């Protein structure tokens, strides 16, 4: 066992972990943060995407011991995040989810795209989402939701994502 100290969703965490415990399993099993989903466990599907020191990473590919003294943010850590609130509303309004399995990671990825100004066109959004697999949708509604959220955030409004999107499309 190895002792790790990290910040998870803004809170200091100290735990003794086996050297081969993945960060995803640590978050789900040790911290009860079940919004981090496990799909392929090979880093291909993107369902386990979290932020590590502010950057999106596949938590199934990272060992918890390698995250000592690092900052981890899961979907649960965005409760008071304005950008995430706008994204959630847009996903709801534009039917950007179905079963919900990919949604937490999709939202984290979408937030990062908007933060990096990489959500400008449908083609750009689709390219940037290539590492996140959704088996239920054809991505059209997800792309529309991200585009609407980006337009809302760029306009400084966040009260009506749908209306802002329609203004931007007109």
């Amino acid at each position: 066992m190895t002792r790790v100290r990290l910040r998870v969703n803004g809170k200091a965490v100290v735990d003794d972990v086996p050297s081969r415990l993945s960060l995803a399993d640590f978050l789900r099993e040790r911290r009860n943060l079940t919004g981090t989903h496990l799909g392929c466990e090979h880093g291909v599907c993107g369902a386990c995407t979290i932020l590590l020191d502010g950057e999106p990473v596949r938590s199934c590919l990272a060992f918890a011991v390698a995250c000592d003294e690092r900052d981890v943010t899961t979907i649960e850590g965005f409760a008071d995040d304005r950008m995430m609130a706008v994204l959630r509303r847009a996903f709801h309004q534009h039917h950007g989810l179905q079963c919900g399995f990919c949604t937490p990671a999709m939202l984290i990825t979408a937030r990062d795209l908007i933060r990096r100004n990489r959500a400008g066109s449908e083609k750009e959004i689709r390219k940037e989402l290539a590492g996140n697999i959704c088996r239920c949708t054809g991505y059209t509604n997800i792309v529309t939701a991200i585009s609407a959220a980006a337009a809302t955030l760029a306009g400084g409004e966040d009260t009506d994502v749908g209306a802002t999107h329609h203004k931007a499309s007109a």
Side-chain angles (χ1 to χ4, degrees):
M1 298 290 247
T2 302
R3 177 154 292 182
V4 293
R5 291 170 183 80
L6 44 115
R7 292 188 64 74
V8 178
N9 297 330
K11 295 179 182 149
V13 172
V14 178
D15 202 345
D16 292 321
V17 297
S19 59
R20 298 197 49 83
L21 181 69
S22 74
L23 179 59
D25 288 336
F26 172 78
L27 294 169
R28 291 182 58 80
E29 297 170 12
R30 299 279 182 105
R31 308 310 318 159
N32 200 31
L33 296 168
T34 57
T36 302
H37 294 159
L38 288 168
C40 68
E41 297 190 56
H42 296 286
V44 176
C45 73
C48 66
T49 302
I50 53 96
L51 296 184
L52 185 60
D53 295 331
E55 298 297 324
V57 299
R58 306 293 194 255
S59 61
C60 73
L61 296 178
F63 290 122
V65 296
C67 297
D68 191 36
E69 302 294 330
R70 312 270 311 263
D71 188 33
V72 175
T73 307
T74 68
I75 193 67
E76 294 89 348
F78 291 102
D80 297 324
D81 184 86
R82 177 180 172 266
M83 190 180 302
M84 190 61 81
V86 171
L87 275 162
R88 282 191 208 104
R89 197 164 40 249
F91 267 62
H92 175 75
Q93 290 178 340
H94 296 280
H95 309 286
L97 58 95
Q98 284 185 15
C99 81
F101 188 80
C102 71
T103 304
M106 200 69 77
L107 286 167
I108 289 172
T109 300
R111 183 184 179 280
D112 183 65
L113 299 182
I114 293 170
R115 181 186 64 82
R116 293 184 299 116
N117 296 316
R118 303 293 296 178
S121 69
E122 177 182 345
K123 182 178 179 181
E124 185 174 42
I125 293 169
R126 286 181 179 275
K127 179 182 176 197
E128 295 289 330
L129 287 179
N132 291 77
I133 296 174
C134 176
R135 288 181 164 83
C136 296
T137 72
Y139 296 93
T140 300
N141 293 346
I142 292 170
V143 172
T144 300
I146 294 169
S147 179
T152 296
L153 289 161
E157 302 171 31
D158 67 0
T159 55
D160 188 357
V161 173
T164 303
H165 175 65
H166 296 300
K167 281 193 293 187
S169 300

